[in-house]
Amino acid sequence: MRLIRWLMIMLVLSVVVTSCGQPGAAPPAAPPAETATTAAVLPTSTATIAASPSPAATAERATATDTAATSAASATTGAAATAETQTITATDEVSATDSYQPPEWARGAVIYQVFVRTFTPEGTLAAATERLPEIRDLGVDIVYLLPIHPIGAEKRKGSLGSPYSVRDYRAIDPALGTADDFRRFVDTAHQLGLRVMMDLVANHSAWDNPLVTEHPRWYSRNAAGQIIPPNPDWSDVADFNYTNDELQQYMIDTSLYWVNEFGIDGYRSDAADQVPILFWRSWRAALKAARPDLLLLSESGGVVMYSAGFEVTYDWTTQGQFTQALLTPRLAQRALSQVAAEQRRYNNQRWRMRYLENHDQERIASVARTPEQRALAAAFLLTIPGLSLIYAGQEVGATERPSLFEPHTVDFAGGDQALRKVYADLIGLRKTNPALRLGTLTTMSTRQQPFLLYERSTDDQRVLVAINMQAESVQIPLEDVTEGRDLRSGATVDLTKGLSLDGYGYRLIELP
């Protein structure tokens, strides 16, 4: 047994020495002062790190299991080394103090996601620029663009192909416009007080990206030596092999290009958990040296992404739980389970991006079918902790999710303008009430109750949020509270007999 233990220790040391001794490898960025390092990888008893997957696997997003299976088929030693950097012991945990914090301007921000070719009838950056004042008037803080690069033609899906199949990382898709058009978009957004975030697709490229022929060693291969996709579903893209130092530097330089040349304010990193953690640390160091106030958002939700260098990660759980509660009101408390658990565990030190829909999800308005349900969905999204994402069209009740592969134009003119006002009013309340933007969350409702009751609070403000998930009105008893101020109307509210809610109603009450 002692001999086995000694051999295990020697194997761990050999892994550490090998990974640290790769020639030309950029050193990982130094984590914050409190940050702990990832545990050493043992040859046995390890678990692959993966983000919490989206509720349903689609052709546009495959599961981490598929990716792991495909990676295992790679014959390159590089693929094996990449897998090593993506593993920790099964019992390892990244504490709250290991988390990078987002820049001050981004904390509690509202993000507006734009798929440029579906955003206007013209589908161009120039046309999108003309609509930036509307986005500003909605009250959001950040405009996040799906990839705007040329799209691959080889193995393309659909008639237009996915924007996540990138043919040139340092160019603008001619169908969307020119570099000058994008520069005008960013400059106009900044003049309106908006930030701009790009989508970084670091895990894979289009098959006809020149990198495939110019740098074939930058790609993963199977046992037959053929370049492979990240997984069978993502057949329109070729998988990068991040054991190559030149690839890492290329992707860092590319990211810096858009920051330095166009002045973008951050990145949303696609499929971040499928790229080695050590790369992200080097990437973060380079970007923060250029612009310390950049926002770095990981699509992947795994806890290790915080120590990898990201300040915000996706919450892949709450959307599905809220939708379930909307359909079955007696399950209302599930909508807050993920948020509340993280609040208790990490003391409000983990920043998540919350959403009710995005380009990988069905529209929330296809589930919340009445104006009242859609309004309460907005109230839920904009009163829970984190950064809130609104997918363009959500604010007017669009029900059809734009395809990533086929033509589509969101019908804003025919949308619900009353719902848009609901979103604008709630975003305004979120901005002017620190408790809603930055405060901690304490749940006050219990199992089997068909409503949500929670308090958002800072040292200086307390706001009670009540949301009725059923069609019938409800009277909610309150303890130790006699009055408050309705944030929407400004009126004083008598709470001695509790709080009344109409069917599918919601109320935001500031407490003394």
Side-chain angles (χ1 to χ4, degrees):
M1 181 62 70
R2 290 182 180 177
L3 177 60
I4 293 174
R5 186 176 300 145
W6 180 84
L7 288 172
M8 294 282 281
I9 293 171
M10 292 304 293
L11 281 169
V12 170
L13 289 174
S14 68
V15 168
V16 173
V17 170
T18 299
S19 62
C20 293
Q22 293 179 1
E34 304 89 355
T35 301
T37 57
T38 304
V41 182
L42 298 179
T44 57
S45 301
T46 59
T48 301
I49 295 172
S52 303
S54 56
T58 67
E60 298 151 42
R61 281 289 175 271
T63 64
T65 302
D66 288 338
T67 304
T70 302
S71 298
S74 176
T76 63
T77 57
T82 300
E84 280 184 359
T85 64
Q86 290 289 70
T87 58
I88 57 174
T89 59
T91 57
D92 193 18
E93 176 59 79
V94 181
S95 70
T97 56
D98 294 337
S99 299
Y100 292 98
Q101 295 296 299
E104 196 73 34
W105 64 263
R107 298 178 188 184
V110 179
I111 303 170
Y112 190 78
Q113 182 182 21
V114 173
F115 185 2
V116 174
R117 81 177 182 214
T118 73
F119 188 58
T120 64
E122 300 86 354
T124 63
L125 285 163
T129 301
E130 297 305 312
R131 294 196 56 196
L132 282 173
E134 294 177 45
I135 298 176
R136 184 270 317 273
D137 292 345
L138 188 61
V140 304
D141 304 285
I142 305 169
V143 180
Y144 148 47
L145 302 176
L146 267 69
I148 55 175
H149 311 295
I151 295 173
E154 185 177 347
K155 301 187 181 182
R156 171 178 288 186
K157 288 186 176 182
S159 61
L160 297 179
S162 168
Y164 291 91
S165 176
V166 178
R167 197 170 75 241
D168 186 344
Y169 283 94
R170 300 183 187 180
I172 303 292
D173 184 350
L176 304 183
T178 66
D180 286 340
D181 290 333
F182 182 53
R183 184 171 284 106
R184 179 171 173 261
F185 180 93
V186 175
D187 290 346
T188 302
H190 288 167
Q191 291 165 12
L192 293 170
L194 297 166
R195 307 274 183 156
V196 177
M197 184 165 62
M198 288 183 71
D199 212 327
L200 176 65
V201 188
N203 179 64
H204 48 261
S205 78
W207 290 96
D208 49 1
N209 189 309
L211 299 177
V212 174
T213 54
E214 294 173 5
H215 301 283
R217 296 185 65 180
W218 291 10
Y219 290 85
S220 302
R221 298 174 181 272
N222 60 17
Q226 301 166 320
I227 295 176
I228 57 176
N231 58 68
D233 280 343
W234 296 1
S235 59
D236 57 340
V237 293
D239 187 56
F240 279 131
N241 176 358
Y242 268 83
T243 59
N244 190 293
D245 298 335
E246 292 179 350
L247 168 61
Q248 295 187 36
Q249 192 59 52
Y250 169 84
M251 204 57 72
I252 289 172
D253 291 343
T254 296
S255 301
L256 287 170
Y257 168 75
W258 296 101
V259 172
N260 294 332
E261 293 297 321
F262 297 89
I264 68 164
D265 303 288
Y267 280 106
R268 176 264 194 192
S269 295
D270 183 68
D273 65 335
Q274 297 177 42
V275 175
I277 292 166
L278 295 183
F279 164 75
W280 289 126
R281 290 177 176 169
S282 299
W283 176 77
R284 175 189 171 85
L287 288 176
K288 289 293 184 174
R291 278 273 305 278
D293 67 338
L294 288 172
L295 173 62
L296 304 180
L297 165 66
S298 164
E299 182 203 15
S300 305
V303 69
V304 78
M305 303 316 296
Y306 292 102
S307 65
F310 293 97
E311 302 139 353
V312 183
T313 68
Y314 269 45
D315 171 4
W316 283 107
T317 304
T318 299
Q319 179 263 353
Q321 292 174 330
F322 175 80
T323 300
Q324 187 179 43
L326 199 60
L327 296 172
T328 311
R330 64 182 176 80
L331 302 177
Q333 308 315 311
R334 292 189 182 182
L336 282 176
S337 60
Q338 172 82 4
V339 180
E342 289 179 346
Q343 288 280 297
R344 290 192 300 268
R345 188 168 189 177
Y346 303 120
N347 192 29
N348 207 34
Q349 294 302 302
R350 286 273 165 77
W351 288 90
R352 293 281 195 183
M353 194 199 72
R354 320 282 184 185
Y355 61 89
L356 297 179
E357 61 178 78
N358 59 54
H359 66 277
D360 283 328
Q361 308 291 329
E362 296 304 322
R363 293 284 198 179
I364 187 62
S366 66
V367 178
R369 298 185 180 277
T370 69
E372 294 78 12
Q373 285 179 308
R374 293 170 182 176
L376 80 82
F380 174 77
L381 175 66
L382 293 165
T383 59
I384 58 176
L387 283 71
S388 306
L389 176 76
I390 298 170
Y391 187 23
Q394 176 180 335
E395 76 276 21
V396 294
T399 57
E400 184 179 356
R401 174 167 61 121
S403 169
L404 284 183
F405 314 113
E406 300 292 349
H408 181 86
T409 300
V410 177
D411 182 12
F412 287 96
D416 184 349
Q417 301 307 312
L419 180 60
R420 189 181 193 281
K421 186 177 186 308
V422 169
Y423 271 91
D425 289 346
L426 285 166
I427 293 171
L429 290 175
R430 184 181 177 91
K431 282 190 169 184
T432 56
N433 291 275
L436 294 179
R437 185 178 177 103
L438 303 170
T440 58
L441 179 144
T442 304
T443 57
M444 302 172 68
S445 47
T446 60
R447 290 183 61 186
Q448 304 303 318
Q449 291 178 326
F451 58 83
L452 297 172
L453 187 67
Y454 49 97
E455 181 180 306
R456 299 292 310 279
S457 59
T458 62
D459 291 340
D460 301 318
Q461 187 184 36
R462 299 167 61 204
V463 175
L464 184 69
V465 180
I467 300 176
N468 187 6
M469 303 290 284
Q470 65 178 1
E472 296 77 22
S473 60
V474 64
Q475 186 75 16
I476 303 175
L478 300 174
E479 296 180 4
D480 303 323
V481 179
T482 57
E483 70 173 22
R485 183 176 71 90
D486 190 305
L487 288 183
R488 296 166 67 197
S489 67
T492 299
V493 182
D494 181 2
L495 300 175
T496 54
K497 296 182 179 179
L499 184 65
S500 61
L501 286 177
D502 294 333
Y504 299 129
Y506 65 92
R507 300 185 74 176
L508 283 61
I509 308 294
E510 183 178 28
L511 300 177

